[in-house]
Amino acid sequence: MLDRLKGRGANGSNGEKVGEKVGEKVGLGSIRRPVIGLALGGGAARGFAHIGILRTLIANGIVPDVVVGTSIGAVVGGLHAAGRLDTFEEWGRSLQGMRNILGYLDIRLNGSGLLGGEKLATRLEEAIGQILIEDLPIKFASVATEVRTGHEIWLTRGRVVDAMRASYALPGIFAPVLIGDRWLVDGALVNPVPVSAARALGAEIVIAANLSSDIFTHSTTIYSHGAVPAPVVPVAEEPTAKRRFPRLFSPEKTMKREFFGGNGRPGISSVMVDAFNIMQDRITRARLAGDPPDMLITPRVGQFGWFDFHRSEDLIAHGTRAAERALESIQEAIHVLAPAPAGIAPKADEPKAGDLA
């Protein structure tokens, strides 16, 4: 990875000076710092790990100039860009269990999603207000997918909260969001970790955070599989009217059984979540192979569920540890791409620019 960085040249991959900032320090002295981009991937509640990553990078002088995100990555990235990340962190820490979380899930059985999403949207609006992407102090983009065409949409204008909602609108769970004349859903369908968007917005170094690296680490091909002989099932007696009676008046139990599953059979929710996890994992691997980031941070959060928002403290800690493990490599990459100002010779123990080629 560092060998590729060394070959880019002092002023970025295209030879242009992008976002030159003289005198900014990243533990390197008074030199021009490369434009740093941060690509935050999707993962629902696992996105709290992004907070730990951001806090650790900033605490070590690695401040992103460009932030792009998909799904929960768009939420964390947008709140960071707007200076409202503390509010989101406090909300996560205030959740005591699934009961609190279920209070934000306005379930409905009509429309184009199981959840209306209005309660979550209201919470985001309270935190971020009517802030526009154009007015943010740093470059920000949210990635979404257009329903009918499959286009990858980069939201770089308009209200930040609308860009967030569109990016996390998981098909089947949340209803699509209308922005302009396009109906948009979760950006993880096309670009789960949006490295390409960060580069397009001018980043010279892209640090990516992938939250799904350890979910299906051992997925493979089963080359031979088939049905097994069915066990002999004893003939059950015909249920009496008395035994059937409670079923008629327990629709909530029936709904719960169908939604969450039971007796080894997956329910609707687990099938949808697992299917989306599999799809996101395969797309992420393909996209990162074709357009790899300069540095990849992979917190081990696969054991956390999509709705484990009440475990935010543990998730933030995982993100912090993952970022700490990557700090040395990130600092080295920044050092490689950071040219000394004109008229200042490199130190005796530092290689010259020509020696890095």
Side-chain angles (χ1 to χ4, degrees), residues 7-325:
R8 285 188 184 173
N11 296 323
S13 59
N14 58 3
E16 298 177 357
K17 295 185 179 181
V18 184
E20 183 170 351
K21 299 182 179 181
V22 178
E24 294 195 35
K25 297 181 180 180
V26 192
L28 301 171
S30 181
I31 57 179
R32 184 185 75 79
R33 178 171 67 83
V35 179
I36 299 174
L38 188 59
L40 302 176
R46 295 190 289 266
F48 275 105
H50 288 322
I51 297 178
I53 292 170
L54 268 165
R55 299 275 195 237
T56 302
L57 293 178
I58 293 172
N60 286 273
I62 304 170
V63 182
D65 307 288
V66 176
V67 176
V68 297
T70 294
S71 196
I72 190 67
V75 174
V76 174
L79 288 169
H80 164 72
R84 302 289 195 275
L85 194 56
D86 288 342
T87 303
F88 184 61
E89 182 177 351
E90 291 170 3
W91 172 76
R93 294 183 186 275
S94 69
L95 298 174
Q96 300 301 316
M98 285 300 297
R99 184 178 297 274
N100 293 126
I101 297 169
L102 291 174
Y104 287 93
L105 305 181
D106 41 343
I107 298 175
R108 62 184 186 182
L109 299 179
N110 59 349
S112 49
L114 291 176
L115 304 179
E118 298 303 326
K119 293 182 180 179
L120 287 174
T122 299
R123 184 71 183 186
L124 284 175
E125 287 195 18
E126 291 173 356
I128 205 168
Q130 304 297 315
I131 296 177
L132 300 178
I133 297 176
E134 304 94 303
D135 297 332
L136 294 174
I138 63 175
K139 289 184 178 181
F140 170 73
S142 170
V143 178
T145 307
E146 187 174 15
V147 173
R148 293 185 176 88
T149 64
H151 292 328
E152 179 178 333
I153 308 296
W154 296 354
L155 297 167
T156 57
R157 303 190 307 274
R159 295 201 313 163
V160 176
V161 68
D162 292 334
M164 292 176 179
R165 288 192 65 188
S167 190
Y168 73 66
L170 180 64
I173 301 295
F174 292 106
V177 176
L178 180 64
I179 295 183
D181 59 348
R182 302 178 188 273
W183 286 100
L184 305 179
V185 293
D186 201 312
L189 291 172
V190 290
N191 199 350
V193 185
V195 174
S196 56
R199 292 202 193 282
L201 290 180
E204 294 174 295
I205 289 181
V206 177
I207 304 168
N210 178 19
L211 303 179
S212 60
S213 63
D214 64 331
I215 297 178
F216 299 105
T217 54
H218 302 294
S219 297
T220 185
T221 301
I222 307 300
Y223 293 99
S224 179
H225 182 69
V228 297
V232 178
V233 179
V235 179
E237 61 176 305
E238 181 69 20
T240 62
K242 183 177 180 180
R243 291 179 179 172
R244 290 196 302 264
F245 188 76
R247 289 178 60 89
L248 297 176
F249 291 90
S250 301
E252 69 283 355
K253 292 183 179 180
T254 302
M255 175 65 72
K256 183 177 180 180
R257 183 167 55 250
E258 294 298 324
F259 193 77
F260 294 103
N263 298 324
R265 180 183 61 83
I268 297 173
S269 61
S270 60
V271 168
M272 292 182 66
V273 168
D274 286 347
F276 197 80
N277 276 333
I278 294 169
M279 177 195 67
Q280 178 171 307
D281 176 66
R282 300 304 171 89
I283 296 174
T284 300
R285 292 173 186 268
R287 292 294 301 248
L288 292 181
D291 188 10
D294 300 303
M295 292 296 154
L296 182 63
I297 300 176
T298 56
R300 300 297 180 180
V301 292
Q303 72 273 23
F304 294 89
W306 272 27
F307 298 103
D308 284 346
F309 290 92
H310 58 292
R311 302 179 65 185
S312 60
E313 191 167 349
D314 292 335
L315 286 158
I316 292 172
H318 275 277
T320 299
R321 288 192 292 270
E324 289 173 346
R325 291 193 297 268

